[in-house]
Amino acid sequence: MTRIALAVLAFAATAFLPVQAQERVQDPVLEPDHAELAQQVKAEFLHAWNGYVEYAWGHDGLKPLSRGYYDWYEVPLYMTPLDAFDTMLLMGLDAEAQRAKRLVLDSLSFDHDMTVQVFEITIRMLGGLISAYQLDGDERFLRLAVDLADRLLPAFESPTGMPYWGVNLRTGETTGFVNNPAEIGTLMLEFGALSRLTGDPVYYEKAKRGVVAVFERRSGIGLVGTTIDVESGEWGERGSHISGRIDSYYEYLLKAWLLFGDEDFSAMWKRSIEAVNRYLADEQATGFWYGHADMDTGKRTATRFGALDAFMPAVLALGGDLERAERLMESCHAMWTLFDIEPEQLDYVTMKPLHPGYYLRPEAIESAYYLYRLTGDEKYVRMGRTMFENIVKFTRSEVGYAALADVTTKEKSDRMESFFLAETLKYAYLLFAAPETIDFDGVIFNTEAHPIWRSWD
Ligand code: DMJ
């Protein structure tokens, strides 16, 4: 397919770049061999994929220690092959990609009497199908995407327009009136792109109404809370942060503006990030962090940061704030090197883990990738290299890759999430591979690292 540059993105990226970033000189430290590192990532991707093929084929994911499989629901939705498909195409693994494509197109059906989590199915599957269609061109991917989105649409039928947490794919029955900003807001790129690709505005309109409903309920100081009742519109947990349950709400405000050029998102992003920087950013002796605060008063409630929060340097950098992005990236790197692998959650004042697991998450490497592309500074390649090499050292198992139950002991646990192939290894590969591998300035990655192009213009 023809990759069309995003005029608005190109503008946004260059217009925001401070002069010093554009003029940065090469780092004098001996540079790692990028091409060799990219080949190593590709080899490790194959190790993970082959584990799935041998022990979990036809299921959602691999259990690497027991050499088995898991499914999210009663019927498998082939999450790993669909999530991994575009990574294979970018890595030039054409035979593996064709095999994954056959499985998805021959066997994937959404016509099941089962309730799914709207957010996870959207970012992994709808996002995966849209990228697959854009990269591969096969119309059947688009037809599956439309079928899935139509089955998810009943989720938006709440009194506020904010989607319910779950929906039955066959009956449309909804479940879970308590939802959160991330799961409400992180549908916009996928539903919006589908509207642009099909010409049917319904997906864009429904998803946007949900986002606006969250934004309009922000507190007097501009922060959102952790949970919200989609029927009454009342906040439940009033803690504000950039961690799970809020994180990608902010990511999609910015990316929806960049992908669709919709100025409403620009306004929501700017108002939101101002409040986040004012009340959540935290200068400590240990570095620059984003903590937790009460959404109404802005008073600090926890000095907690973790693997999920590490998406923030990428988003800050994409939004033009390289100064905060680079300082936060240093903190993410410090969090990673404390135990050689980042913990799920860390108290950034005591530097003690609050939750010691590592689920093969991508966010820190993702941020290293964005910062490298936006600054050209080789130190981000070195950070990414440390992360990648430690992932190999501590989480590789005989079959595939295993999450860690505890980064302090390196004890493994029996699960390889599909996002390890969709995101962690994709961002590692893109960080080291030639810049032409993907047109960074012309693409927007959804929160599961599925690239979306503005091919509809
Ligand atoms: C992924 O499914 C997505 O990146 C999501 O935004 C957060 N959680 C995982 C990866 O950590």
Side-chain angles (χ1 to χ4, degrees):
M1 85 162 242
T2 322
R3 294 189 182 158
I4 300 163
L6 297 182
V8 63
L9 239 192
F11 164 76
T14 49
F16 285 148
L17 271 182
V19 175
Q20 64 269 28
Q22 296 169 15
E23 291 173 352
R24 197 181 296 274
V25 287
Q26 278 294 305
D27 201 303
V29 180
L30 188 64
E31 301 312 343
D33 183 335
H34 296 211
E36 171 59 26
L37 282 168
Q39 286 313 309
Q40 282 173 23
V41 176
K42 194 166 156 178
E44 294 311 319
F45 177 95
L46 273 176
H47 176 72
W49 172 248
N50 290 338
Y52 169 81
V53 169
E54 192 166 353
Y55 295 101
W57 183 252
H59 292 279
D60 286 344
L62 171 71
K63 292 172 93 170
L65 303 184
S66 58
R67 302 182 182 216
Y69 60 81
Y70 63 84
D71 288 311
W72 280 48
Y73 305 109
E74 299 91 296
V75 179
L77 295 173
Y78 314 124
M79 248 174 231
T80 295
L82 183 52
D83 236 3
F85 178 69
D86 52 27
T87 308
M88 293 171 186
L89 292 181
L90 293 173
M91 289 181 173
L93 294 169
D94 295 334
E96 288 76 11
Q98 286 314 310
R99 195 166 174 198
K101 175 178 172 178
R102 272 200 304 280
L103 177 67
V104 168
L105 292 182
D106 293 350
S107 313
L108 182 57
S109 161
F110 297 115
D111 186 21
H112 300 295
D113 185 5
M114 62 188 195
T115 296
V116 299
Q117 188 178 353
V118 175
F119 161 76
E120 289 288 356
I121 292 300
T122 297
I123 65 170
R124 298 187 198 217
M125 308 216 55
L126 188 56
L129 288 166
I130 289 169
S131 288
Y133 169 63
Q134 289 199 304
L135 275 166
D136 176 272
D138 194 319
E139 292 279 335
R140 288 175 294 174
F141 284 122
L142 184 61
R143 285 204 289 276
L144 273 171
V146 170
D147 180 48
L148 174 57
D150 287 345
R151 292 171 187 278
L152 296 175
L153 276 182
F156 293 94
E157 297 310 313
S158 73
T160 62
M162 291 186 278
Y164 287 90
W165 177 90
V167 67
N168 183 298
L169 286 177
R170 185 174 289 162
T171 66
E173 191 187 340
T174 53
T175 183
F177 59 87
V178 176
N179 211 342
N180 56 71
E183 301 204 30
I184 294 167
T186 318
L187 312 172
M188 192 60 227
L189 296 186
E190 299 80 359
F191 278 75
L194 200 58
S195 277
R196 295 292 187 261
L197 290 168
T198 60
D200 184 343
V202 68
Y203 312 107
Y204 193 99
E205 286 166 4
K206 297 268 185 195
K208 182 173 174 181
R209 185 169 168 233
V211 180
V212 171
V214 174
F215 179 74
E216 284 177 344
R217 287 170 175 78
R218 70 196 182 283
S219 69
I221 59 172
L223 293 175
V224 295
T226 304
T227 62
I228 190 160
D229 181 328
V230 304
E231 292 182 342
S232 68
E234 296 295 324
W235 290 103
E237 292 176 43
R238 304 183 77 88
S240 197
H241 46 80
I242 58 156
S243 300
R245 297 191 285 172
I246 299 183
D247 47 6
S248 46
Y249 164 72
Y250 294 122
E251 176 185 349
Y252 271 34
L253 289 181
L254 173 64
K255 289 183 174 177
W257 170 36
L258 298 178
L259 185 62
F260 305 121
D262 182 333
E263 290 301 322
D264 292 345
F265 286 104
S266 162
M268 289 190 281
W269 158 253
K270 287 174 183 161
R271 295 284 292 274
S272 300
I273 195 63
E274 197 184 309
V276 165
N277 282 330
R278 182 148 182 205
Y279 296 105
L280 303 182
D282 199 353
E283 300 278 359
Q284 294 283 344
T286 54
F288 176 65
W289 305 90
Y290 284 77
H292 291 226
D294 181 279
M295 70 178 276
D296 300 302
T297 62
K299 193 167 173 295
R300 178 76 58 240
T301 51
T303 51
R304 186 159 72 228
F305 190 91
L308 284 168
D309 309 58
F311 80 103
M312 193 65 167
V315 169
L316 286 168
L318 189 63
D321 187 350
L322 279 175
E323 197 265 324
R324 286 190 183 85
E326 294 202 76
R327 292 173 63 218
L328 187 61
M329 191 68 222
E330 291 292 342
S331 302
C332 293
H333 185 239
M335 174 170 77
W336 192 285
T337 47
L338 257 186
F339 308 101
D340 294 325
I341 297 267
E342 63 180 358
E344 180 72 356
Q345 284 178 8
L346 177 78
D347 183 321
Y348 57 75
V349 172
T350 63
M351 296 304 264
K352 300 259 185 278
L354 297 167
H355 182 330
Y358 173 63
Y359 302 111
L360 302 172
R361 291 199 191 280
E363 286 80 3
I365 291 190
E366 171 184 359
S367 282
Y369 167 62
Y370 273 79
L371 280 167
Y372 181 51
R373 284 283 164 256
L374 290 170
T375 67
D377 192 331
E378 287 287 335
K379 82 176 171 196
Y380 298 114
V381 175
R382 292 195 293 277
M383 285 183 187
R385 178 185 193 161
T386 302
M387 294 171 198
F388 168 65
E389 289 180 346
N390 284 349
I391 286 173
V392 176
K393 185 167 175 192
F394 296 112
T395 71
R396 193 181 207 267
S397 55
E398 256 177 65
V399 169
Y401 274 79
L404 296 183
D406 190 331
V407 295
T408 64
T409 61
K410 310 295 186 291
E411 179 199 349
K412 291 192 171 89
S413 73
D414 197 13
R415 191 155 170 121
M416 183 176 82
E417 279 285 344
S418 65
F419 57 67
F420 183 61
L421 299 176
E423 298 190 71
T424 313
L425 293 179
K426 180 186 287 148
Y427 285 127
Y429 182 75
L430 292 176
L431 172 61
F432 305 134
E436 309 80 73
T437 308
I438 197 161
D439 51 338
F440 180 80
D441 292 335
V443 73
I444 287 290
F445 292 94
N446 89 335
T447 198
E448 189 78 1
H450 294 304
I452 303 177
W453 287 270
R454 196 165 160 148
S455 59
W456 46 84
D457 271 355

